[in-house]
Amino acid sequence: MHQAPPVEYPLGNNRTLNRVASAAWLFVTLIDLLWLYLADSHGWRLWLGLGATLLLGAVALRLRPAACSGALHWDGSGWAQHDGATEVGGDVTVHLDLQSAILVAWAPDAGRATWCWLESAADPSRWLALRRALYTPHRAGHAQGETAGRGPVMQA
């Protein structure tokens, strides 16, 4: 199996991801308000449910993904994030693939993982190359004489 060619893809903000999360929270809040309106009695369980929804919405707002900036770079054997003059190595894990948008976790070699929402609209000409790179299996032993899926290369 061949490795995907090098590609660099721009990282944007997580507007779409934030919109989806906000819409889901708003939907749950509206259901709670409808429950409050239609309930026969307004006991403590009703107010607890509404309070839990509001509290969880506030926590989700506080913990929402930070904007990803710079670009992801696949060099054929590993990932890096370019942000201006700095380059940080790490790994990318796909968590949700919607064909025209992908939710990935960027985990730098040192530091916390960051959620990034990649959209085909950011750079349509490199979208398929990015998808190939995201799904290319890469192993540390590949550069040391192994080929993907076939084990060590025998030398005569």
Side-chain angles (χ1 to χ4, degrees):
M1 181 174 194
H2 298 287
Q3 292 286 352
V7 65
E8 186 165 299
Y9 202 80
L11 293 170
N13 60 22
N14 295 319
R15 256 191 320 238
T16 304
L17 183 60
N18 287 333
R19 285 179 185 159
V20 168
S22 296
W25 180 79
L26 183 61
F27 178 74
V28 170
T29 302
L30 289 174
I31 295 297
D32 278 357
L33 290 174
L34 183 64
W35 180 33
L36 182 64
Y37 177 73
L38 296 176
D40 289 336
S41 65
H42 296 277
W44 64 272
R45 289 180 186 97
L46 187 69
W47 293 105
L48 179 66
L50 186 59
T53 299
L54 295 175
L55 178 66
L56 291 175
V59 169
L61 182 65
R62 174 75 174 106
L63 298 177
R64 74 181 181 267
C68 296
S69 62
L72 276 179
H73 178 74
W74 167 255
D75 65 5
S77 62
W79 288 97
Q81 179 187 15
H82 299 286
D83 190 11
T86 61
E87 179 177 320
V88 178
D91 199 22
V92 176
T93 307
V94 176
H95 287 273
L96 177 66
D97 186 346
L98 301 175
Q99 299 300 314
S100 63
I102 300 175
L103 177 65
V104 299
W106 162 249
D109 291 336
R112 266 181 62 185
T114 304
W115 293 96
C116 297
W117 187 256
L118 307 172
E119 295 179 335
S120 62
D123 192 346
S125 65
R126 291 189 252 175
W127 180 249
L128 290 178
L130 171 73
R131 290 181 55 81
R132 284 185 206 103
L134 287 170
Y135 288 106
T136 293
H138 59 285
R139 299 189 326 211
H142 180 74
Q144 300 167 349
E146 292 185 15
T147 57
R150 293 194 341 198
V153 174
M154 301 299 286
Q155 296 182 358

